[in-house]
Amino acid sequence: MSKVENVYLVGVIPGPKEPSLTEPNNYIRPLINVFLFSWMRGHHFSRSASNETLARIVRSAIAIVVNDLPGACCLAQMASHMSHHICTICLLYGKEKLGDKNYHSWQKLNNHMMRASAMKWRDATNENGRKDIFDNYGVRWSELW
Ligand SMILES: [Zn+2]
């Protein structure tokens, strides 16, 4: 069960328009850096609310990010559910597959392949290369990767 004391509202991306395609990375990069530091080295607390003499190292991680579907695609830099990459979980491709109920044939996206594709997108040297990667895999670089 989630506890409100474990919920951490980092910020709200200002409007009035939603950020451009890769702009969310600019907002989450500083946050990722804080969590990366915390996970790798930990944060030292000289005391806690329940014990004023017991120092401890605390490590933090992002366990889950909660968004609506457009927000999730935006943060993860995945193709929109309105594109031919109709799902962020499986390899189902093409809007004509929207009525496909043969669930057992759907193959899960491979997380390692998606991360590798996102890294290729990040490291591509030109926009045509990035477009090819996005068209084929439906992913761009996100700081969450
Ligand atoms: Zn799916």
Side-chain angles (χ1 to χ4, degrees), residues 100-108:
D100 185 345
K101 293 187 176 106
N102 191 13
Y103 312 114
H104 300 293
S105 70
W106 297 0
Q107 292 181 320
K108 261 186 112 173

Side-chain angles (χ1 to χ4, degrees), residues 41-84:
R41 297 185 52 189
H43 281 104
H44 177 264
F45 290 95
S46 58
R47 62 184 181 192
S48 71
S50 61
N51 190 326
E52 293 191 6
T53 60
L54 184 60
R56 57 186 73 199
I57 302 285
V58 174
R59 296 181 193 279
S60 304
I62 300 172
I64 187 169
V65 178
V66 178
N67 302 93
D68 60 5
L69 186 55
C73 289
C74 175
L75 269 184
Q77 293 292 302
M78 303 280 290
S80 162
H81 64 287
M82 301 296 284
S83 74
H84 282 292

Side-chain angles (χ1 to χ4, degrees), residues 87 89-90 92 106:
C87 187
I89 296 171
C90 72
L92 215 53
W106 297 0

Side-chain angles (χ1 to χ4, degrees), residues 18-25 28 70-81 83 85 88 111 113-124 127 129-145:
E18 63 183 71
S20 66
L21 286 179
T22 57
E23 214 171 34
N25 281 329
I28 62 173
C73 289
C74 175
L75 269 184
Q77 293 292 302
M78 303 280 290
S80 162
H81 64 287
S83 74
H85 296 275
T88 56
N111 193 42
M113 183 201 62
M114 294 305 288
R115 180 181 169 83
S117 301
M119 291 172 81
K120 281 184 192 170
W121 185 95
R122 178 193 66 192
D123 299 338
E127 285 307 309
R130 286 185 163 178
K131 183 182 180 321
D132 286 345
I133 292 164
F134 186 74
D135 288 349
N136 285 315
Y137 300 102
V139 66
R140 299 179 199 88
W141 175 253
S142 164
E143 291 296 320
L144 289 174
W145 286 111

Side-chain angles (χ1 to χ4, degrees), residues 1-7:
M1 176 178 285
S2 64
K3 295 180 178 176
V4 71
E5 60 265 32
N6 292 333
V7 173

